[in-house]
Amino acid sequence: MISLPSKGEYDPFYQTYISQLEGQNVLDRISAQKSEVTELFNSISEEKSNTAYAEGKWTIKEVLNHINDVERIFTYRALAIARGDKQALPGMDQDSYQAAATNPSRSLASYLAEFEAIRAASILLFENLREEETMAEGIASGNKVTVRALAAMTVGHAAHHIQIIKERYL
């Protein structure tokens, strides 16, 4: 079990994501969310996945790519901190990542398969951490963060974007 982090375990910027999980076990939620995300994206047509809800916003495919990128980054940070890495971990610029990754010919199914593989690896990582490892602290993006906060941020970030897709795209 990974319980929700306390407010001092992460930068307040991430509260939007953490608040998506109130009262939930992070491990239960990360596993359940995998099938929810798969079901949602399987219900979206390829044509629809190429649309954005407004000018200058990401397409549905790009949102899923962003979820994939951020999950990789959050889980790398969690791994590094859990293993005792003491160096400060860098931030990321989501817009430059997205610009470098944009590939209009890539299918939604390909992005979804990537999500499923990343999430399976994330689940295995978090399921196999000892409690003391989940409480390990490090520095990422210039702020203190614990491994359990990163686990919650991983789930909450995806939940945040799934909510946006449901409200603004579908």
Side-chain angles (χ1 to χ4, degrees):
M1 177 174 157
I2 297 179
S3 58
L4 289 176
S6 302
K7 289 196 188 255
E9 295 180 42
Y10 55 90
D11 183 288
F13 171 82
Y14 296 105
Q15 181 57 38
T16 301
Y17 306 148
I18 304 282
S19 67
Q20 299 277 335
L21 291 116
E22 285 189 29
Q24 299 180 49
N25 174 310
V26 177
L27 283 179
D28 290 344
R29 189 70 191 107
I30 197 167
S31 294
Q33 190 182 60
K34 182 180 179 207
S35 59
E36 293 167 12
V37 169
T38 299
E39 186 177 315
L40 173 67
F41 283 98
N42 277 331
S43 74
I44 298 171
S45 71
E46 188 66 33
E47 181 180 355
K48 180 71 174 170
S49 75
N50 289 308
T51 63
Y53 71 87
E55 182 70 30
K57 297 297 182 181
W58 292 337
T59 66
I60 292 172
K61 278 186 198 176
E62 290 171 327
V63 172
L64 183 52
N65 181 69
H66 171 69
I67 291 169
N68 290 343
D69 282 353
V70 170
E71 183 149 340
R72 278 190 169 110
I73 289 166
F74 284 173
T75 56
Y76 167 73
R77 290 173 180 173
L79 174 68
I81 294 167
R83 298 297 189 257
D85 196 334
K86 298 299 180 199
Q87 65 183 321
L89 300 166
M92 69 167 288
D93 177 342
Q94 66 182 15
D95 294 319
S96 63
Y97 269 59
Q98 193 65 273
T102 298
N103 180 355
S105 66
R106 189 169 171 198
S107 71
L108 178 61
S110 170
Y111 286 108
L112 183 55
E114 183 178 6
F115 169 81
E116 292 170 328
I118 294 166
R119 181 52 62 95
S122 299
I123 291 167
L124 286 169
L125 170 67
F126 291 125
E127 281 181 344
N128 289 293
L129 292 175
R130 296 181 315 273
E131 185 175 356
E132 61 268 18
E133 290 173 310
T134 69
M135 296 305 295
E137 292 181 1
I139 302 294
S141 297
N143 297 289
K144 182 177 92 168
V145 67
T146 63
V147 171
R148 75 177 182 173
L150 286 159
M153 288 159 47
T154 299
V155 180
H157 177 262
H160 168 75
H161 285 290
I162 296 310
Q163 182 179 355
I164 290 172
I165 287 172
K166 288 178 177 178
E167 290 174 358
R168 299 181 188 172
Y169 289 81
L170 302 179

